[in-house]
Amino acid sequence: MEEGREYKDTVQKLFAFIEESPSQYHAVDTMRKHLEAAGYEQLLESGAWKLKSGGKYYVIRSGSSLIAFRIPAQDSQNYCGFQIVASHSDSPSFKIKTNPEMNVEEHYVKLNVEKYGGMLCAPWFDRPLSVAGRLIVKENNRLVTKLINVDRDLVMIPNLAIHMNREANKGYDYNIQKDMLPLYGCGEAKGKFMKQIAEAANVKEDAILASDLFLYNRMKGSIWGACEEFISSPKLDDLQCAFSSLEAFLQSEEPLSSENVQANEQSEVDGKNVINEKNVINGKNVINGKSIPVHCVFDNEEVGSGTKQGAASTFLADTLIRINHAMGRDEAGYRQSIANSFMLSADNAHGVHPNHTDKACPTNRPYPGNGVVIKYSANQKYTTDAISAAVFEEICNRANVPYQIYVNRSDILGGSTLGNISTTQVSVNTVDIGLAQLAMHSPYETGSVKDTDYMIQAMKTFFEASVRQTEDGYELIFR
């Protein structure tokens, strides 16, 4: 199996996905296109949901977060729980401020930006950058979202020469307002930025009411190393996990048999609270062992997740509750399904750095290429505990995927991620996982050529399984 894996093909698909996703809005739109090509139907949060057995759906919040799910084809009201994979669509960057142009002595035009997330600043210098995001445009009496990507090298942040800053290589405290402003053009570029943005979006400049625009790195992904064992690309954190989740979600779909198709035609429900008597025995719901797979991608993880489309929002809880109600289950049925649910919080992990091996935990040392990383934190910055780790290890064993462990050095404070934030809204057993990478939060990050495939295989097996609570523990049910 190891030799038969076509790692490079998977990586090229990952690179294409990242290239099509220069902002979080584009990432969600790229996923939308893949889902619609696979027959998924969009639901609006503002509309009524009519779900049917075997139905395939997705919902988008604020253009930058997405949840997709599938209803079991048979006995759909008696699903076991939700098998959820959560990742995030955003990456550290610089956001273009409103009224961005800054004239410098009539010879340069630079753009005013502010920091988004906790990036490494130094790697942003002296590399081709461009601008992507969304515009809100007035069309008659409607406010319409337009995605924008200036698909060429447009700006650059020039370094200050060593001759003018002799201390540069001894450590430097970057001032975002002074050091990190991208050069846009010479003096004649004055007044052209928003015109250029409008042209790229094929709208009139005066129709633009507002915008969310970000810088992004134009460098394409690459496979490199003595044995082509490494990959480097923008946005590996966390589009590598978001891509893996989407691929696994789509690959795990069961083909509908003719019997299932006939059952689907007879089992559409309309949100009414209808529980068939045969599904209740002695007052207890009977579950059929199958769970609803959920591909969930949040925005704003890099700035704390505390937005309406972030992991701290009600987006996931709202979606799961509406699925429960639309499938004719009551509040008790929802609580039962949550008890039988499981989440993979998928956000990349720090690999042991070849030049700074002392920065890693002495006994838990994940490396790129050695498989999926299970992340632990005693203070619960990561949600992994003995139960959730054991469940995921069994998933990996079933998928024949290697796994490894990450724990911070005890004297280094680590970051947080999606799991511990999301569980404040939906309290499910959760394990924090990721893929080992170097240079996290650089605009050009490094990982392994093997690991995306490992993650897809593990997530696919997870989506095909159910995790059911029992009196003395948990039972894994595989398709």
Side-chain angles (χ1 to χ4, degrees), residues 62-285:
S62 196
S64 57
S65 293
L66 177 147
I67 297 176
F69 60 92
R70 287 192 301 272
I71 305 299
Q74 291 181 318
D75 201 16
S76 58
Q77 286 179 301
N78 301 315
Y79 58 86
C80 178
F82 301 98
Q83 294 287 96
I84 307 163
V85 175
S87 57
H88 64 90
S89 61
D90 62 322
S91 300
S93 182
F94 295 93
K95 187 176 184 184
I96 307 293
K97 290 184 178 181
T98 302
N99 303 316
E101 291 189 13
M102 300 176 71
N103 187 289
V104 182
E105 300 180 351
E106 302 301 326
H107 284 278
Y108 300 117
V109 176
K110 60 185 180 180
L111 301 180
N112 199 5
V113 301
E114 59 182 321
K115 180 180 171 184
Y116 177 89
M119 76 285 290
L120 288 168
C121 286
W124 281 88
F125 287 98
D126 306 322
R127 65 172 74 237
L129 309 172
S130 194
V131 175
R134 67 177 176 183
L135 307 176
I136 306 301
V137 178
K138 186 174 182 179
E139 292 185 355
N140 298 319
N141 292 323
R142 299 171 61 237
L143 303 182
V144 179
T145 299
K146 301 282 188 181
L147 296 189
I148 166 69
N149 175 22
V150 182
D151 193 13
R152 69 174 183 85
D153 300 346
L154 182 67
V155 298
M156 189 174 292
I157 306 173
N159 240 313
L160 182 63
I162 187 69
H163 313 80
M164 299 176 184
N165 182 11
R166 296 289 184 179
E167 303 299 311
N169 293 327
K170 297 181 181 180
Y172 187 78
D173 184 11
Y174 293 100
N175 183 318
I176 304 301
Q177 190 63 68
K178 183 175 180 63
D179 297 314
M180 306 307 299
L181 303 184
L183 179 61
Y184 170 60
C186 292
E188 57 265 28
K190 183 178 179 180
K192 290 187 176 181
F193 179 71
M194 288 309 297
K195 287 184 173 63
Q196 196 164 26
I197 293 297
E199 289 174 2
N202 196 27
V203 300
K204 294 181 178 180
E205 183 182 0
D206 60 7
I208 300 173
L209 299 180
S211 63
D212 293 306
L213 302 175
F214 296 84
L215 298 184
Y216 73 94
N217 178 18
R218 293 278 297 167
M219 293 181 66
K220 295 182 183 296
S222 63
I223 299 175
W224 60 278
C227 301
E228 295 189 313
E229 62 267 59
F230 296 114
I231 63 171
S232 291
S233 171
K235 300 178 182 291
L236 290 182
D237 174 23
D238 190 32
L239 291 189
Q240 189 175 24
C241 287
F243 167 80
S244 299
S245 175
L246 179 65
E247 285 287 301
F249 179 77
L250 294 175
Q251 290 179 22
S252 65
E253 185 175 332
E254 279 188 295
L256 284 177
S257 65
S258 57
E259 292 83 0
N260 288 343
V261 171
Q262 183 177 4
N264 290 347
E265 294 171 351
Q266 298 173 353
S267 61
E268 187 168 338
V269 294
D270 61 1
K272 296 179 181 179
N273 190 21
V274 180
I275 297 288
N276 193 315
E277 289 183 0
K278 71 178 181 180
N279 300 330
V280 180
I281 300 176
N282 295 328
K284 297 181 180 180
N285 292 85

Side-chain angles (χ1 to χ4, degrees), residues 52 156 173 185 287 304 312 367 435 457 476:
K52 63 181 181 180
M156 189 174 292
D173 184 11
I287 56 178
Y367 293 92
L435 296 175
Q457 295 305 317
L476 276 71

Side-chain angles (χ1 to χ4, degrees), residues 4-74:
R5 284 190 171 139
E6 298 178 353
Y7 300 116
K8 292 181 182 178
D9 289 345
T10 301
V11 167
Q12 293 302 333
K13 290 180 182 178
L14 169 65
F15 288 165
F17 178 85
I18 291 174
E19 191 171 345
E20 292 168 3
S21 307
S23 75
Q24 54 266 56
Y25 312 106
H26 290 81
V28 164
D29 191 59
T30 299
M31 287 184 274
R32 176 190 64 79
K33 292 174 182 176
H34 283 274
L35 289 165
E36 290 194 346
Y40 284 74
E41 175 186 344
Q42 183 172 8
L43 302 170
L44 298 179
E45 288 194 278
S46 59
W49 289 13
K50 294 185 177 181
L51 310 183
K52 63 181 181 180
S53 298
K56 306 189 296 185
Y57 306 98
Y58 71 93
V59 58
I60 293 172
R61 178 175 285 189
S62 196
S64 57
S65 293
L66 177 147
I67 297 176
F69 60 92
R70 287 192 301 272
I71 305 299
Q74 291 181 318

